[in-house]
Amino acid sequence: MELARRVRELGSAARVTAGVPGGWAREAVDALPAPSAPATEPWKASLGELIAAQPRVPAVMARTLTMLDGLGSVQFGPEGLGFDGEEIPWEKVRGVRMHDGADLLTSLAVEYEFERMGQVLPPVPGRAWVLRKAGSALTALIRLVRTRMTDRPADRHDIIWEITYTGRFGREKTLNACLYTTVFLMLRPDVAAALLATAHAHGIPVAEVERRSVEDADQPEPAERSAQLDELCRQSEQAAAALSGDGVRPESCGAEPSPGEGFSENPAAERTHG
């Protein structure tokens, strides 16, 4: 996995960031070099690669982690683009739609994503271990988004979130980014910009974000948005704990994960769940 290789090559950086709030998640997300804009070669980032980037993840788990592409990935290049394990050739893409990522961070989205984790991954050796890591990784990214949105409430997070394309028998189909892909693009605006530039370069129609007026009563105030993000953080932690069978620790909400948090267990000790 490219991300895992690159992060491990940055061993000195890992030592520098030891003890820094944001820890392993921030390091792994920031370590991935941005693609050119527009992209001139295939580029990809996935939830499985994020987990595999940790130095204490056994190499034997790499193949299982590739199964997480369906739980979260973004890929694009000269041939096409796609989300979550599905790539669409440019000639079949009818258009893309932008969304403000902040509007996509909802309680329903968190609930759906953690339910999907338990359904997508097949009963393979180490399944419980991988599910625990997937829940931990997604929760860590939600924490990072919470911190950045709280620190910079005026920032916008416009991303390509929806792809419309021609499917089988000429039918129009739509592909939406999952929660992991959404928060990843929010944390890496350079990647989001490269994806948009690549779509423009291939002549793809882009539906821009519909801007809400300042007077819009539905637009949350900074304090309200911060409270909403705190609640999403708690919900994610509780869902991750339920997924892994660990006890719920709501008091940890708002605290950044320490480097390598939750990545020291031995997957060989896990039992496969059907």
Side-chain angles (χ1 to χ4, degrees):
M1 292 182 176
E2 183 66 11
L3 175 57
R5 181 183 66 81
R6 290 186 179 274
V7 171
R8 284 169 176 150
E9 287 176 352
L10 299 178
S12 58
R15 288 189 289 273
V16 170
T17 57
V20 175
W24 67 269
R26 177 174 302 170
E27 178 188 331
V29 169
D30 291 344
L32 186 62
S36 58
T40 56
E41 59 183 9
W43 190 96
K44 176 183 174 183
S46 72
L47 178 59
E49 289 180 326
L50 177 68
I51 297 172
Q54 298 312 301
R56 284 179 282 182
V57 172
V60 70
M61 298 304 298
R63 183 175 181 182
T64 301
L65 291 173
T66 62
M67 298 179 184
L68 294 181
D69 278 5
L71 288 179
S73 67
V74 54
Q75 57 199 76
F76 57 97
E79 302 300 323
L81 82 164
F83 298 138
D84 312 327
E86 184 173 352
E87 184 171 14
I88 304 161
W90 287 114
E91 59 267 22
K92 292 188 176 182
V93 178
R94 297 185 179 183
V96 296
R97 181 175 295 277
M98 305 283 290
H99 283 268
D100 183 350
D103 293 337
L104 302 171
L105 301 180
T106 66
S107 176
L108 183 61
V110 172
E111 179 182 353
Y112 173 77
E113 206 61 36
F114 279 93
E115 286 183 356
R116 200 165 67 94
M117 282 186 183
Q119 298 170 355
V120 171
L121 193 66
V124 294
R127 180 179 187 272
W129 182 90
V130 171
L131 284 175
R132 180 156 57 248
K133 302 317 165 198
S136 174
L138 182 55
T139 298
L141 294 186
I142 292 175
R143 287 171 174 167
L144 282 178
V145 167
R146 168 196 175 277
T147 297
R148 296 189 183 186
M149 290 183 63
T150 301
D151 291 344
R152 300 193 292 269
D155 286 2
R156 296 199 61 84
H157 306 275
D158 296 348
I159 61 173
I160 290 180
W161 183 77
E162 182 178 297
I163 305 169
T164 302
Y165 65 100
T166 302
R168 296 182 62 183
F169 308 114
R171 296 177 179 174
E172 180 176 299
K173 300 187 68 176
T174 299
L175 177 64
N176 297 329
C178 74
L179 185 59
Y180 164 79
T181 303
T182 298
V183 296
F184 175 84
L185 290 173
M186 291 175 68
L187 291 168
R188 287 294 303 264
D190 55 340
V191 175
L195 174 56
L196 178 59
T198 307
H200 279 306
H202 286 271
I204 303 301
V206 177
E208 300 291 342
V209 177
E210 294 183 6
R211 302 296 185 190
R212 295 178 295 184
S213 66
V214 176
E215 296 79 14
D216 191 341
D218 293 331
Q219 189 169 359
E221 295 293 330
E224 181 183 355
R225 167 60 72 183
S226 180
Q228 292 173 350
L229 293 171
D230 285 341
E231 180 56 34
L232 284 181
C233 174
R234 282 187 286 269
Q235 181 186 357
S236 180
E237 287 176 337
Q238 292 170 350
L243 190 67
S244 66
D246 296 335
V248 177
R249 297 171 293 173
E251 68 275 10
S252 65
C253 187
E256 295 287 357
S258 60
E261 176 182 319
F263 281 83
S264 60
E265 298 92 337
N266 179 6
E270 302 283 2
R271 290 188 300 175
T272 302
H273 295 272

